[in-house]
Structure formats: structure tokens, C-alpha cells
Amino acid sequence: MYALDDTHDPALESWVESANRPCNDFPIQNLPFAVFRRAGSAEAPRGAVAIGEQMLDLRVVHELRVLRGSAADALEACTGSTLNAFMAMGAGAWSALRKALSACLRRGSPAASALRAALLDQADAEFVLPAYIGDYTDFYTSIHHATAVGRLFRPDNPLLPNYKWVPVAYHGRASSIRVSEHSFARPMGQILPAGGVEPVVGPSARLDYELEVGIFIGAGNALGTRVPIERAEEHVFGLCLLNDWSARDIQAWEYQPLGPFLAKNFATTISPWIVTLEALAPFRVPWSRPAGDPQPLPYLDAPQVRARGGIDVQLEVALQTQAMRARHDPPHTIARSSFRHAYWTVAHMVTHHAMNGCNLEPGDLLGSGTQSGPAPEEAGSLLELTAGGRQPLVLPDGDRRTFLLDGDRVVLRGWCERDGAVRIGFGKAAATVLPAAR
Ligand code: CA
């Protein structure tokens, strides 16, 4: 796990003035990575690091030859159209580049005048997926979500007995993952009408979002090898926001016995910026098991996980209907939660995923599962917020929602803040629902 160093110093300020404003997502203590091209251009995508409302074009930084040694080697790996090569280099390279960029971006840095040539506004960028995602696995780490959803699907048996022993997951679909600010068609599917015995085919009428954290694997593990829990985080490059769009009516009919399939593989949205695990070091929190629950099996237990395994990423979901957008009303916040409530940590997910020798690859994506907190208003999906569609959500203009309608835009946000540290943010993961394709 990363120690705090001078890159986390709350007193640090940047010569990029927008980075010093309070409540901005990208102060110099953050330095998250993305891949972009100029909006509307046919340029080859390349890596970027966010600073305030602007960003450094890492290909230009490389051409300016302002970095030396291992930081320069790491920088070169960020000049291509994906970050996979950089992710594969491991924590030493990630830290070296973070340290060098932090030094260059500080107020008073002699590199400032040269680096202005590499700076551009985030508003002028079009983001693409930050990595080639070979595989995507979605976990189910919120016991509050698992219990609430289980109650709707199986009222007499909400939480299955394996939940407290196994970090449960399913293998998702990587090809339909998109970066924030896209739109997608409402899925068609087989749906069993209430009280019916035969399914009908039609557009999902119970389309939902899931408020999740995405976890990008950095260095992988070879097929047939395991990842000890003490070393699990060495394999994690960083975190993003993730929306696992879910069609509840398709899901209810298809999910037994093999789990989610077409209810979830039609679209997944991630935020463009990956916040590194190192940037999250000030926001680590203890992780524990409630007394009376089974303690993790030895391969999933380590003192460092109990001491600092959790991450207090505050999460928020907001909804903007088509009518709100027409009036230029901002998205309305409908729920807040935190990743600190997760029943299983990032380290548990990685170690369990590889316990059978399954090889994780650089750029693989893990989803945390819907992050619902203990209180009902902290629910990370409409399924929970509306009690399975029985209690509509009332928006400020009086409009009501049980599930999403065409034209609805869902915006996920995440940030970390605590006394003694500078607030860092994840930006947003937003997408809009279009009518079903016929
Ligand atoms: Ca999910």
C-alpha cells in the first residue's frame, strides 16, 4: 500500500490556477490518467493527466523531453492510444511518473514555461476508453444492495449463504463498455409479464442504473499463479466510476441458473479519468467484519486489509430528464453513498479472482457491484430506491420515475475528502437512454 509522500502534501499548489480552486476534482494531489483526442478531430488518441480544468497532453510532454530516467520511460508508455503498456509497468513506474509530473506542475517549477505547450482545456477533448479492456468482471460487494435486491427477487431468502464467504461476481461483457458522454438504445429482451407463464419480446420497461466503482488492473498475474492478499493492491492501477446499466425485467426472467446475461451486457459506462491508487492513499479507511459474521478465510485476510483496506470514495447519482434538459435544469441528485461500506475490498476482489489461477491482464476491469449504503436513501439503483417500482421517485418538477424513461440522462460522480487532505474527484460518468432499436 502506498505511503503518503510530498505528492500528497495539502500545501502543494500548481501554476495551473484552476487546479487550486476549492472543490475542483483535479488538484495537483490527484493527477488521474485518461486517453483523448481533440474533440471533432481524427487525431490518434494519446494519454493525458488532468490538472484543474485543463490537462497535459502526454505525447507533447514526451516530445518536450522535460522528464528523465524511469519517469521518461513511463511517460513514453502513455503516448499510444491505450494505457495498457503503462499499466503493465507496475507501481514503480506509476509512482515515478506521478512524482515527476507533480514536480513539473508545482508553482515555481522551471518546467512551467515549456509545459504550457502541452496544456489544453478538458472541454476541448473527446475521451476514449483509457485501456483496451480484454475482460470485465462485475462483483457484488455491497451487502446492503445484495440484501435489498435479494429481498425483491426472493422475499423469503434474501441473502444466499455463500455471500459472506465468497466475493461473488459474474463475467461481464467488455465490448459494450463506453466512456462517459454517450447514449445507448434501450435494450429489447424476453420479459415474463406479471402473472404470465410465457415471455413476450419487447423493450425493457424496467431499465435501471447501478452506481459502481471500476477497478483497473495494472500488472497482471500469469495463468496458473495466485495473488497473495498482501500483494493484491500491487496489481491495481486505479479506480474510476462505473454504471452497470441493468434491465430488471429481462434480468428477472433470465438470471437463473447462470446469472446476468442480456440484462446487463448492452451497455456499461465508465468515467474517462482513472484515479490512481497512490492518489487515493490519504483516503484509506479500516475494513472490518461485523461481529457474528463469518470472518474471511485465511487467503482473504491480512492485517493491512483490516487496517487500511477500505477506500472512502463518496458516490453520487443524479438524474436529468429530457424535460429538465430542455429547461437547462441541472441533473438532480437522487442518492449518495460511499465505497467505504463495501463488504469486500479491492484486495479481496483481486485475490479471490486469481485464487484458481485465473490470469488478470493489464487493462482488465473489475466492477465493485452497486454501492448501496446502510440507509435506504443511500441505495445505488432505482430498483432499491423505488422498492422494485412500487414507490415512485418524485423529482423537483413533480415528474415521477420508477425506472428510466427514454431521454433520461444519469450522471455518476465520486470524490474523496477529509480533514488534513486536499479533496480529489473522479469527474463524472454520464450517459443518456435512447428509444429501443426496432
Ligand atoms: Ca452490477
Side-chain angles (χ1 to χ4, degrees):
M1 288 188 180
Y2 295 96
L4 296 185
D5 64 17
D6 63 321
T7 66
H8 303 96
D9 182 353
L12 270 192
E13 291 201 329
S14 174
W15 50 266
V16 180
E17 290 301 335
S18 63
N20 306 324
R21 291 183 199 138
C23 288
N24 107 81
D25 277 351
F26 307 117
I28 191 170
Q29 290 81 1
N30 193 347
L31 305 180
F33 289 82
V35 173
F36 83 104
R37 62 164 71 88
R38 271 170 219 274
S41 80
E43 294 171 348
R46 64 274 190 186
V49 160
I51 182 78
E53 290 169 8
Q54 293 172 291
M55 54 199 258
L56 282 177
D57 179 334
L58 295 181
R59 185 175 295 165
V60 177
V61 178
H62 175 64
E63 286 162 2
L64 292 169
R65 305 202 175 279
V66 289
L67 305 191
R68 294 282 175 269
S70 59
D73 297 339
L75 176 65
E76 186 168 12
C78 298
T79 58
S81 58
T82 69
L83 295 175
N84 295 69
F86 177 51
M87 291 168 160
M89 292 172 91
W94 312 332
S95 285
L97 184 53
R98 172 181 168 86
K99 220 171 184 40
L101 291 176
S102 172
C104 288
L105 285 166
R106 283 173 206 187
R107 210 189 275 291
S109 163
S113 57
L115 277 182
R116 283 187 198 282
L119 211 58
L120 74 159
D121 288 343
Q122 288 182 38
D124 294 335
E126 173 184 305
F127 294 97
V128 300
L129 287 177
Y132 168 75
I133 302 170
D135 269 303
Y136 159 49
T137 304
D138 198 16
F139 282 82
Y140 200 47
T141 68
S142 164
I143 195 168
H144 309 294
H145 173 73
T147 306
V149 171
R151 195 171 287 131
L152 293 168
F153 282 68
R154 298 176 302 275
D156 49 339
N157 186 21
L159 197 67
L160 296 173
N162 61 0
Y163 187 85
K164 293 181 177 180
W165 297 96
V166 182
V168 169
Y170 68 94
H171 283 288
R173 178 96 192 153
S175 69
S176 53
I177 300 171
R178 291 289 180 275
V179 82
S180 182
E181 302 300 354
H182 70 104
S183 49
F184 64 93
R186 174 180 298 275
M188 298 285 289
Q190 282 196 28
I191 295 160
L192 188 69
V197 290
E198 286 186 9
V200 296
V201 172
S204 169
R206 290 164 71 89
L207 182 61
D208 201 354
Y209 57 79
E210 290 193 336
L211 172 62
E212 301 198 20
V213 173
I215 298 137
F216 271 101
I217 296 296
N221 64 294
L223 183 63
T225 67
R226 299 175 64 179
V227 176
I229 187 126
E230 294 82 2
R231 308 200 66 174
E233 290 198 359
E234 294 173 27
H235 294 267
V236 175
F237 176 68
L239 271 48
C240 65
L241 302 169
L242 185 150
N243 186 342
D244 173 28
W245 302 95
S246 300
R248 302 301 182 191
D249 38 11
I250 299 171
Q251 185 179 359
W253 172 236
E254 76 172 8
Y255 88 105
Q256 287 182 321
L258 288 185
F261 178 33
L262 303 185
K264 286 176 177 273
N265 70 3
F266 55 92
T268 303
T269 307
I270 60 170
S271 56
W273 295 107
I274 308 174
V275 176
T276 62
L277 220 46
E278 187 164 16
L280 292 164
F283 307 101
R284 304 306 300 250
V285 291
W287 171 88
S288 65
R289 254 307 139 73
D293 276 14
Q295 296 304 306
L297 291 169
Y299 80 98
L300 290 175
D301 209 350
Q304 71 218 55
V305 173
R306 290 183 180 261
R308 304 182 62 211
I311 311 175
D312 188 10
V313 181
Q314 305 195 45
L315 300 165
E316 175 184 285
V317 51
L319 175 64
Q320 187 187 44
T321 66
Q322 203 159 26
M324 290 166 70
R325 206 154 49 249
R327 293 192 303 265
H328 303 287
D329 291 348
H332 174 67
T333 300
I334 55 179
R336 281 195 176 144
S337 183
S338 167
F339 191 30
R340 75 175 181 274
H341 299 304
Y343 196 80
W344 298 101
T345 66
V346 169
H348 291 131
M349 290 183 241
V350 170
T351 291
H352 183 69
H353 204 312
M355 84 168 294
N356 63 349
C358 175
N359 50 322
L360 301 174
E361 303 273 3
D364 280 2
L365 182 64
L366 311 182
S368 65
T370 308
Q371 292 302 302
S372 300
E377 67 273 17
E378 293 172 319
S381 69
L382 282 174
L383 183 69
E384 294 157 88
L385 278 181
T386 68
R390 290 193 300 273
Q391 296 164 12
L393 203 68
V394 183
L395 298 170
D397 61 1
D399 208 354
R400 287 165 176 255
R401 283 292 178 282
T402 47
F403 292 96
L404 297 170
L405 297 185
D406 295 346
D408 285 352
R409 179 171 183 258
V410 175
V411 183
L412 308 186
R413 289 186 180 276
W415 66 93
C416 300
E417 58 188 339
R418 70 160 176 83
D419 288 344
V422 171
R423 176 196 184 279
I424 63 172
F426 283 72
K428 62 178 189 268
T432 305
V433 180
L434 298 177
R438 296 286 174 168

